Amino acid sequence: MRWQEMEYYAFVHFSLNTYTDQSWGYGNEDIDLFNPGELDCRQWARICKEAGMKGIILTAKHHCGFCLWPSEYTEYSVKNTSWRGGKGDVVREMADACREYDLKFGIYLSPWDRNFADYGKPEYITYFRNQLTELLTNYGPVFEIWFDGANGGSGYYGGANEERKIDPSSYYDWENTYKLVRELQPNIVIWNDGGDRADLRWVGTEAGFVGETNWSLLNKTGEVTWNMLHYGLEDGDSWVPAEVNTSIRPEWFYHPGEDARVKTKPQLMDIYYNSIGRNGSLLLNFPIMPNGLIHPNDEHAALEFAKAVEEAFAVDLSENARAEASNIRGKEKRFGAANAIDGSKETYWATDDSVINASLTIDFGKPTSFNRFLVQEYIRKGQRVKAFTVEALVDGIWKELAAASTIGYKRILRFPTVRATAIRLKISDAKSCPLISNIDIYNAPQILEPPSIIRNQSGEVIITPADDESVLYYTLNNQDPTTASKKYSGPFQTEGKVEVSAIAYEPSSGKSSPVCREKFDLPRKNWKIVGAADEKAYAVLDGDPLTAWHQDSDKKMPIDLVIDLGKEQILTGFRYFPDQGLWGPGIITNYRFYVSSDNKNWKLADQGEFSNIKNNPSWQIKMFAPEKARYLKLQSLRNTEGNDNTGYAEIDIITK
Ligand code: FUL
């Protein structure tokens, strides 16, 4: 309950990756790169506090193995850097800052360690537990520990530079590690991404949403599928609620190229409704910059988001209303309908044991406008409701506003604004008699979504609004558009490199959306996909992130995609956007990138991995030393599924 009621807290990602523009360090990076000259964990804490968050979880050690605290058990830590003469300790500073700002303090400790020579052997487990002991003993109370399950295999491993496979279900001996954790921190909650049942579960995606149906249950033993992570398990035997983790930017670590990609207010509000509004908690990440601070764009976005949440839930319209229920347990006042709107989570409306089908009506006494319905179950006695609807009494007629499945600790439903004299919660199915501890009704201000911008293969820019009522304005000169900018009236042709910025504007309210900005390199008009008989292959060049193409299923890795650019260009990098479909993927994890002037003699321009692409399938940007080329070849060496499926939503180049 203590954890559940926190609802919203922060992640901070900070490590050597911050200095190498990587998502996953290999484990061989020079520790002297770590030099946060202006480190100020109080800035992080202040922002989190002002943003309404209740705690912060720090990446004390990410996959690269570098320790942000002076661990006694490795040389790969802050103690051997020249930063603060080796006397620095980020974990200590963050723990202190959290205490000062009355925030709870949490720790991320990566089980996968790409630096440690003994990773894969039993000795590493001792090392891992020693580190855990340091972290859970020396820094005061820890509310949550995060054991990331990611493991890409390859690493530096003390100079071995090899692939190391472990069996995650047996190697870490979680049972005994959990015992140690609970001994050291009896009030902690343990996060583990599924296979090894801890206290909290991952929701199967890092995009910021859990299933609409969301049971806080799983089975203690047996296989955990993606569906179980995403929707929970109705008849599970263990309480394992969902935590929705996502980053305020596309990636977890700081990448200067993402400064203009910070999530917008509408995106963050969607995430709020799709996490906290769906019986989950929200763990929102801030990447820390090399100087040791949170970027002003991220701060601005988090504070704007907090303001929007405050505005949405400012006035609870149920406060002065009257509640009546179709059935009340034993007709007793302590189970009465009024308990659902008395502002206390400790009291609840309950029905008789035999009554599942029941309704609760909230009468405003006068026509009232609203568009949000918030409902909570008294989860100390379990999660029960399986199906319910919400109806409004409009001009004397009951009208259905929304239908949903589970409630849990908190469920928030959105629907278009309605003006009604009463609202009714109708429960049609539950595992046992429903217990409703709270209902709030709100009239949230509308928030305009930014439009989307794409450029198709022929060089046409297409701007699409998120709704049918707004008008679009855009600029091509890197300036923020206003209603004085060019009005969008349909696709337009562009040549060369362009940066398009667009807003949606709603004439009736005079409101504008946040700016959407897209940078396009050279047009792909004369590009050809070499050897692809299949016209569908051109989905990779059509600019549309939602269309994808997959190589023939009989091809075996390595699988090449060769593109003829039509004429010679100077390339300095490329971009790959994987298939966004839930079931299509074929997401490349390891690649080689070749260039050629004649489609015969190839030169290797770059090779490596797309780190964390499975959990976070966003744009992958790879830069290399300038190369003249007319042909490019993206060679896929491995995918996330361990088979030969190879797909692409988009491929693009970066030129000088
Ligand atoms: C993932 C990791 O691989 C990412 O780098 C990040 O730490 C995220 C929170 O979890 O699995």
Side-chain angles (χ1 to χ4, degrees):
M1 287 306 295
R2 251 196 327 268
W3 165 83
Q4 188 90 59
E5 288 176 354
M6 287 176 70
E7 292 190 6
Y8 179 36
Y9 42 94
F11 227 162
V12 287
H13 271 66
F14 190 34
S15 187
L16 285 173
N17 300 355
T18 310
Y19 300 85
T20 56
D21 213 358
Q22 298 184 105
S23 318
W24 285 354
Y26 189 70
N28 64 348
E29 291 76 17
D30 179 359
I31 57 173
D32 263 326
L33 291 171
F34 188 81
N35 193 12
E38 296 164 51
L39 179 80
D40 182 8
C41 297
R42 299 177 67 249
Q43 185 238 18
W44 313 352
R46 174 188 56 76
I47 294 169
C48 293
K49 187 77 189 182
E50 285 175 15
M53 297 165 138
K54 297 292 185 313
I56 312 182
I57 301 178
L58 168 70
T59 51
K61 179 184 88 169
H62 202 253
H63 310 323
C64 70
F66 179 68
C67 299
L68 295 185
W69 79 103
S71 174
E72 212 185 288
Y73 303 98
T74 177
E75 299 309 314
Y76 206 56
S77 96
V78 281
K79 73 179 180 195
N80 291 329
T81 63
S82 35
W83 175 62
R84 297 203 178 147
K87 297 271 173 289
D89 182 347
V90 186
V91 178
R92 166 87 51 225
E93 285 189 41
M94 201 188 91
D96 289 349
C98 283
R99 203 165 313 117
E100 182 182 336
Y101 282 86
D102 190 25
L103 292 164
K104 292 192 178 177
F105 170 62
I107 286 173
Y108 167 116
L109 186 71
S110 171
W112 182 30
D113 188 319
R114 294 175 108 177
N115 172 264
F116 202 71
D118 286 339
Y119 182 79
K121 302 191 191 133
E123 285 82 353
Y124 173 74
I125 303 306
T126 309
Y127 171 71
F128 185 64
R129 290 189 182 147
N130 283 338
Q131 294 205 314
L132 257 180
T133 307
E134 287 183 317
L135 290 167
L136 299 182
T137 315
N138 298 335
Y139 298 94
V142 177
F143 83 98
E144 178 169 336
I145 181 102
W146 230 82
F147 294 132
D148 192 328
N151 188 328
S154 65
Y156 170 72
Y157 304 126
N161 290 312
E162 60 189 18
E163 184 82 27
R164 289 196 184 164
K165 288 240 155 24
I166 53 117
D167 172 4
S169 63
S170 56
Y171 179 56
Y172 297 114
D173 177 21
W174 284 119
E175 205 183 316
N176 285 308
T177 302
Y178 291 176
K179 248 191 220 150
L180 172 71
V181 169
R182 292 193 205 288
E183 250 165 52
L184 297 172
Q185 295 275 345
N187 288 329
I188 207 164
V189 284
I190 303 175
W191 184 99
N192 204 327
D193 57 6
D196 293 277
R197 237 67 85 247
D199 302 324
L200 307 178
R201 68 174 212 270
W202 185 45
V203 296
T205 166
E206 294 178 353
F209 64 101
V210 63
E212 274 192 62
T213 294
N214 178 15
W215 292 100
S216 291
L217 298 168
L218 280 185
N219 277 337
K220 188 126 211 88
T221 51
E223 196 203 356
V224 174
T225 62
W226 188 89
N227 275 350
M228 292 179 196
L229 290 176
H230 203 59
Y231 303 105
L233 198 58
E234 183 181 328
D235 292 316
D237 58 23
S238 303
W239 190 262
V240 191
E243 176 187 83
V244 176
N245 67 307
T246 192
S247 184
I248 198 158
R249 293 171 174 231
E251 222 284 305
W252 295 94
F253 282 92
Y254 179 76
H255 307 286
E258 292 184 351
D259 284 352
R261 300 239 157 234
V262 179
K263 292 197 166 98
T264 60
K265 183 159 80 177
Q267 284 173 322
L268 291 167
M269 279 311 279
D270 267 340
I271 289 172
Y272 185 93
Y273 288 111
N274 295 338
S275 56
I276 296 172
R278 288 184 180 173
N279 186 33
S281 66
L282 174 55
L283 173 57
L284 182 67
N285 176 66
F286 294 105
I288 303 301
M289 289 190 288
N291 66 1
L293 297 172
I294 292 177
H295 192 282
N297 291 359
D298 305 40
E299 170 175 5
H300 181 76
L303 298 185
E304 281 289 294
F305 173 36
K307 212 166 97 197
V309 170
E310 221 178 281
E311 283 168 8
F313 306 112
V315 182
D316 172 15
L317 299 164
S318 78
E319 252 170 34
N320 299 315
R322 274 194 30 231
E324 242 169 60
S326 61
N327 172 283
I328 288 169
R329 190 178 185 82
K331 296 204 172 78
E332 284 185 55
K333 190 156 177 244
R334 63 185 174 120
F335 297 123
N339 291 338
I341 57 167
D342 66 356
S344 158
K345 275 182 290 195
E346 300 312 313
T347 60
Y348 51 90
W349 161 56
T351 62
D352 285 319
D353 271 347
S354 57
V355 177
I356 300 291
N357 262 291
S359 67
L360 186 140
T361 306
I362 297 172
D363 192 343
F364 303 114
K366 57 172 194 281
T368 303
S369 298
F370 55 89
N371 52 23
R372 300 286 183 273
F373 179 80
L374 181 155
V375 56
Q376 299 187 270
E377 277 183 89
Y378 187 73
I379 56 163
R380 283 174 194 276
K381 290 182 184 287
Q383 185 183 356
R384 303 180 174 206
V385 175
K386 288 166 70 167
F388 69 101
T389 56
V390 178
E391 300 169 330
L393 189 61
V394 183
D395 299 328
I397 297 166
W398 284 106
K399 195 180 138 194
E400 185 171 305
L401 301 177
S405 51
T406 51
I407 296 178
Y409 168 71
K410 187 179 272 189
R411 184 74 202 269
I412 310 174
L413 300 181
R414 292 184 278 183
F415 38 82
T417 308
V418 62
R419 200 165 166 76
T421 49
I423 186 167
R424 182 157 78 184
L425 162 68
K426 251 187 161 173
I427 295 166
S428 54
D429 202 2
K431 288 169 75 176
S432 182
C433 67
L435 311 179
I436 302 298
S437 68
N438 183 41
I439 293 178
D440 292 347
I441 321 280
Y442 298 101
N443 195 24
Q446 298 296 348
I447 296 174
L448 263 184
E449 303 267 351
S452 67
I453 308 171
I454 66 169
R455 175 158 77 171
N456 68 17
Q457 206 197 336
S458 64
E460 270 181 336
V461 167
I462 303 162
I463 312 181
T464 316
D467 59 86
D468 338 312
E469 283 160 55
S470 47
V471 188
L472 305 174
Y473 293 91
Y474 69 94
T475 62
L476 299 176
N477 58 2
N478 195 9
Q479 301 289 311
D480 280 359
T482 65
T483 49
S485 309
K486 224 172 152 92
K487 196 166 169 174
Y488 178 76
S489 55
F492 56 90
Q493 193 62 39
T494 54
E495 308 294 333
K497 295 187 179 193
V498 284
E499 180 166 344
V500 188
S501 311
I503 51 163
Y505 172 78
E506 195 184 61
S508 59
S509 63
K511 281 190 182 172
S512 317
S513 74
V515 181
C516 173
R517 230 182 278 283
E518 291 291 348
K519 249 188 186 158
F520 300 105
D521 209 284
L522 297 179
R524 299 182 281 183
K525 201 174 193 158
N526 300 319
W527 291 21
K528 296 239 151 36
I529 296 181
V530 179
D534 186 356
E535 265 303 302
K536 288 197 192 113
Y538 284 85
V540 311
L541 304 179
D542 68 359
D544 185 345
L546 299 178
T547 59
W549 175 69
H550 288 243
Q551 295 271 7
D552 283 348
S553 55
D554 56 358
K555 285 198 178 163
K556 298 270 168 273
M557 302 265 186
I559 295 174
D560 295 341
L561 174 69
V562 178
I563 297 177
D564 176 0
L565 305 176
K567 67 179 214 218
E568 197 156 72
Q569 309 285 1
I570 300 181
L571 306 190
T572 57
F574 75 99
R575 308 196 293 153
Y576 164 57
F577 194 63
D579 184 350
Q580 300 294 297
L582 266 187
W583 313 114
I587 298 178
I588 305 170
T589 54
N590 296 73
Y591 69 94
R592 289 200 193 106
F593 191 86
Y594 296 90
V595 293
S596 163
S597 54
D598 54 8
N599 192 15
K600 284 194 200 86
N601 300 302
W602 292 95
K603 182 177 173 202
L604 182 67
D606 186 38
Q607 61 182 327
E609 69 178 13
F610 300 125
S611 316
N612 199 31
I613 191 171
K614 179 170 187 206
N615 293 349
N616 188 9
S618 58
W619 272 107
Q620 308 292 314
I621 301 170
K622 295 289 178 184
M623 305 297 291
F624 44 78
E627 292 287 353
K628 266 197 192 151
R630 168 164 170 182
Y631 297 88
L632 63 85
K633 174 155 75 188
L634 174 62
Q635 188 170 79
S636 154
L637 302 175
R638 200 189 295 168
N639 71 7
T640 53
E641 298 141 79
N643 57 28
D644 296 296
N645 182 10
T646 301
Y648 326 77
E650 288 294 302
I651 301 289
D652 206 352
I653 54 167
I654 300 167
T655 59
K656 226 179 166 158

